[in-house]
Amino acid sequence: MSKMKDTIITLYVDTTKIIQYSNKEKDKVLECVLICDNHDDVPGREDFTSYIKSNSKLSWVGAAMYIMTSKEDFVIIKEIKAKKGSKSFIKIYNRKNGAGSTHIDGHVGKIKDSSPPEEYKIKFMVNSGGVEKKYTIDPKIKIF
């Protein structure tokens, strides 16, 4: 784990592969994405859990997984939504007050590291070869 306090969660998407699937084909969609962060977590698909520090800032960004072969493709994070609603330890900032349309920022308060992982939704848009589609995945955040 990194000594950095704040976390950047990056959603890497195989833009040329995912664009052939609809959001209803969850298994196929999940095969096309990886999530990693700046805390030395190895990107993986096992449980899509990001480990973050209590009382820290968060940013979610999207990226084309194979940017060198799909140079004009892009991924935009459209929404982060906690499943627990108002009881969530994830607090999302209003886009108008910061990040704009390129990424989403938020924070977590002071939380015990024994708290169970929290599920949330990432809604994102993929543009591949001029075709745009929207997708949703359900990763987790765990305090370490």
Side-chain angles (χ1 to χ4, degrees), residues 95-127:
R95 283 191 149 182
K96 295 176 187 173
N97 298 333
S101 62
T102 61
H103 63 283
I104 293 181
D105 293 328
H107 75 275
V108 296
K110 189 157 179 68
I111 306 293
K112 295 179 184 178
D113 62 5
S114 61
S115 297
E118 183 170 316
E119 291 185 29
Y120 67 102
K121 291 183 180 286
I122 297 178
K123 294 182 179 183
F124 60 101
M125 187 268 298
V126 173
N127 183 304

Side-chain angles (χ1 to χ4, degrees), residues 26 30 47-48 83 119-122 136-140:
K26 290 290 184 193
L30 291 176
D47 62 3
F48 291 110
K83 285 195 170 181
E119 291 185 29
Y120 67 102
K121 291 183 180 286
I122 297 178
T136 302
I137 60 170
D138 302 317
K140 299 175 190 152

Side-chain angles (χ1 to χ4, degrees), residues 18-30 121-124 133-138:
I18 199 171
I19 208 74
Q20 65 187 313
Y21 304 118
S22 75
N23 198 40
K24 294 178 183 178
E25 298 173 277
K26 290 290 184 193
D27 290 341
K28 297 290 187 186
V29 168
L30 291 176
K121 291 183 180 286
I122 297 178
K123 294 182 179 183
F124 60 101
K133 288 190 178 178
K134 293 181 182 176
Y135 301 93
T136 302
I137 60 170
D138 302 317

Side-chain angles (χ1 to χ4, degrees), residues 29-96:
V29 168
L30 291 176
E31 290 176 9
C32 300
V33 299
L34 292 172
I35 294 179
C36 69
D37 58 51
N38 59 324
H39 295 298
D40 300 324
D41 291 334
V42 176
R45 294 184 172 95
E46 295 79 33
D47 62 3
F48 291 110
T49 301
S50 297
Y51 294 88
I52 62 173
K53 292 187 178 183
S54 177
N55 202 26
S56 64
K57 294 178 185 173
L58 300 167
S59 285
W60 287 267
V61 297
M65 193 179 297
Y66 303 109
I67 193 66
M68 294 309 292
T69 57
S70 52
K71 294 179 183 174
E72 294 182 12
D73 292 2
F74 58 89
V75 178
I76 300 289
I77 305 296
K78 300 299 278 180
E79 183 180 6
I80 301 295
K81 187 166 184 152
K83 285 195 170 181
K84 290 184 177 180
S86 62
K87 293 185 179 186
S88 172
F89 61 69
I90 304 168
K91 305 299 179 204
I92 305 302
Y93 299 152
N94 184 330
R95 283 191 149 182
K96 295 176 187 173

